[in-house]
Amino acid sequence: MKAVIVALSCLLALSGTLAADTCYQDVSLDCGQASNTLALPRCNAVYGEYGRHGNVATELQAYANLHLERSYEYLLSAAYFNNYQTNRLGFSKLFKKLSDEAWEKTIDIIKHVTMRGDEMNFEQRSTMKVERKNYTVELHELEALAKALDTQKEIAERAFYIHREATRNSQHLHDPEVAQYLEEEFIEDQSKKIRELAGHTSDLKKFITTNNGQDLSLALYLFDEYLQKSG
Amino acid sequence: MKAILLAIVGLLAVCLPASATQCHVNPVNIPREWVTMHRNCRMSMRQQIQMEVAASLQYLAMGAHFSKDVINRPGFSKLFFDAASEEREHAMKLIEYLLMRGELTTDVTTLLQVRAPERKTWEDGVAALEHALRMESEVTKSIRNVIKSCEDDSEFNDYHLVDYLTGEFLEEQYKGQRDIAGKASQLKKLMDRHNALGEFIFDKKLLGIDI
Ligand SMILES: [Fe+2]
Ligand SMILES: [Fe+2]
C-alpha cells in the first residue's frame, strides 16, 4: 500500500515539473462535451513555474512600476532645470533622456510580464523598495547629479536582485529567460549609465575644489553647454 | 564649563557656513514683470498636467490588458501603448508652455503624482475603445475649463495660452475623438454577427496587416 502511494506521489511530482501535454489534455477533455464552453485553463503562456514559486513574477511587475515612477520624477527634474532661473538646458536634456529611457523600459517590462503569461499589476511594489523621505527635484546641479547617480544604482541593483531570485538554480526557482532578459536589456546599459553619471560628478567635484571654488559659475555654465552638445 | 562648550558650539555653527564649500551658484534676481500668468489659470494648467499623466497610466493598463496571452490582441495593445506615450507627451508640452511663460521656478516636485490606474480589464475591444472615448471627452471638457479659467480672469485675459490650448490641444482632442469613435463603431459593426472573428480581423488591421 505504502509503495503504491509513494509511486503515485512520485508520478504527481513528475507531472508538476515536466509540463506534460496539459493544454492538449484540456482540449481532449472539453471538446466533444455536451456544453458549448471551452475553459482550457492550461492553454496559456505560463511555463517553468513562472508566477507559481518565488517572487520573480511579482518583482518584474514591481520593476515596471519602479521605472514608471522614476520616469516621471526625471521628467520633473528636466522641467526644473529648464525654468528661466536655473536655465541649465544641458542638465535638462540629461534628465529628459533618463526619463524617456525609463518610460520605454516601463512599456517593455509590461510587455515582458504579459509575454510570460502573467498580467500587469500597477500596485505591485518590490520587497526591496525603500520609501523615500523628503523627495524633491528642486536641487542644484551637483545635488541633482548625485540623486540621478543614486537612482540609477537603485535601478541597476534591483536588476541584480531579480536576477539573483531568477537564478537560484533550485528546482522551483530557476528562470534563465528572465535572467537573460535582464542581462541583455538592462544590466549592460546600466553599468555604462552609472559610469557616465559618476564621471560627471567627478568633473563637477574638480571644478568646485580647484581654484578655491572661484571657477564654479563659469564651470557650471560650460559644463551645461557640454551636456547640451554631447549625448 | 558647560556654558563655555555651548558657546563654542554656537560660535562654530555661526562661523562654519562662511568657510563651507560652496557647491552651487547663488540665485540672482532679475525683473519679474514679464511673468504674467495668474493663479487660477496656473492652477488649472497644473491640474491638466496631472490629468494627462493619469490618462497615460490608464492607457498603459489598456495596453497591458490586450497584451495578455489569453486576450492576444497585439493591435489593440500597440494602439493603447502608443496612446500612453502620447498622453505623456501632452503633459510634457503643457510643462514646456509653463516654462516658456516663466513658471515652474518653484513647486515643481508637487506637479504630478503617479497613481495606479483605476480600471484593469475590459470585456472586449469595443469596451476599451468606448472607455477611451469617454476618457478623451473628459479631457476635452477639462481643457475647456482651463481655457475658461485663463480667459475669465478679471485682471488678466491670457489670450496666448487660450489660443494655444484652442489651436493645439482642442484640435488634437477633436481629431483624436473622431478617430476613436470611428474605430469603435466599425468594430462594433464587425462584432455584431462575428464576435471573435470581427475582433481578430480588426486587431490585425490595427497592426497594419491586411488579411
Ligand atoms: Fe491628452
Ligand atoms: Fe488623448
Side-chain angles (χ1 to χ4, degrees), chain B residues 39-193:
Chain B
R39 191 179 175 277
N40 285 349
C41 179
R42 180 190 305 118
M43 292 322 268
S44 58
M45 276 288 276
R46 288 176 69 95
Q47 275 167 23
Q48 187 60 36
I49 289 165
Q50 175 61 48
M51 193 174 193
E52 302 288 346
V53 170
S56 81
L57 293 181
Q58 186 58 76
Y59 277 130
L60 273 189
M62 289 190 190
H65 172 80
F66 286 97
S67 174
K68 280 190 274 190
D69 55 349
V70 287
I71 305 293
N72 198 40
R73 291 286 172 258
F76 281 96
S77 174
K78 185 182 181 311
L79 178 78
F80 292 132
F81 277 135
D82 288 350
S85 298
E86 255 172 48
E87 297 309 334
R88 176 174 172 267
E89 270 156 37
H90 293 166
M92 285 172 359
K93 268 178 84 172
L94 294 173
I95 289 172
E96 287 282 316
Y97 186 90
L98 288 180
L99 291 165
M100 189 265 285
R101 292 290 300 276
E103 296 291 324
L104 295 180
T105 50
T106 56
D107 301 318
V108 184
T109 310
T110 51
L111 187 58
L112 57 87
Q113 272 185 314
V114 174
R115 286 193 214 99
E118 275 165 35
R119 195 165 160 189
K120 295 187 293 187
T121 56
W122 293 264
E123 304 80 65
D124 53 25
V126 173
L129 285 173
E130 286 181 344
H131 182 189
L133 191 55
R134 275 194 297 272
M135 199 161 82
E136 291 297 344
S137 317
E138 284 299 310
V139 171
T140 307
K141 206 168 120 190
S142 164
I143 294 170
R144 285 175 54 83
N145 285 332
V146 180
I147 291 174
K148 236 180 254 168
S149 55
C150 298
E151 193 172 41
D152 287 354
D153 196 297
S154 53
E155 285 162 53
F156 190 79
N157 181 329
D158 209 321
Y159 300 112
H160 185 265
L161 176 50
V162 168
D163 178 62
Y164 178 69
L165 289 176
T166 312
E168 298 247 348
F169 275 77
L170 282 185
E171 166 100 355
E172 193 172 335
Q173 281 308 115
Y174 289 136
K175 282 184 176 160
Q177 283 171 186
R178 167 63 185 82
D179 182 57
I180 301 170
K183 285 189 168 77
S185 15
Q186 194 177 20
L187 178 61
K188 216 166 185 170
K189 281 185 273 182
L190 274 173
M191 287 177 72
D192 183 37
R193 301 292 288 275

Side-chain angles (χ1 to χ4, degrees), chain A residues 53-167:
Chain A
H53 292 279
N55 57 358
V56 172
T58 50
E59 283 296 330
L60 211 55
Q61 294 170 335
Y63 204 40
N65 289 325
L66 178 69
H67 279 84
L68 182 58
E69 279 174 34
R70 297 298 173 257
S71 166
Y72 272 118
E73 286 170 7
Y74 283 144
L75 194 67
L76 290 180
S77 291
Y80 179 69
F81 279 107
N82 200 11
N83 77 41
Y84 78 92
Q85 286 175 354
T86 54
N87 204 43
R88 297 285 188 216
L89 303 193
F91 282 87
S92 180
K93 189 180 163 192
L94 182 144
F95 280 104
K96 170 70 166 50
K97 204 171 151 210
L98 286 171
S99 175
D100 289 347
E101 283 164 359
W103 174 260
E104 276 156 34
K105 290 295 181 204
T106 306
I107 294 179
D108 200 68
I109 302 167
I110 294 174
K111 284 181 180 164
H112 207 88
V113 163
T114 59
M115 192 175 79
R116 293 300 303 274
D118 202 2
E119 56 181 33
M120 178 58 197
N121 177 2
F122 288 89
E123 240 116 0
Q124 187 66 52
R125 293 292 175 270
S126 170
T127 49
M128 300 293 279
K129 170 131 179 151
V130 213
E131 280 310 323
R132 283 181 159 177
K133 278 176 233 145
N134 308 325
Y135 176 75
T136 176
V137 298
E138 283 134 83
L139 302 167
H140 66 62
E141 294 84 351
L142 182 57
E143 283 173 333
L145 276 183
K147 197 67 153 180
L149 179 61
D150 292 346
T151 304
Q152 287 307 111
K153 283 184 185 175
E154 175 198 27
I155 293 173
E157 282 167 0
R158 183 74 68 76
F160 282 10
Y161 171 69
I162 306 171
H163 192 279
R164 190 164 68 235
E165 292 296 301
T167 51

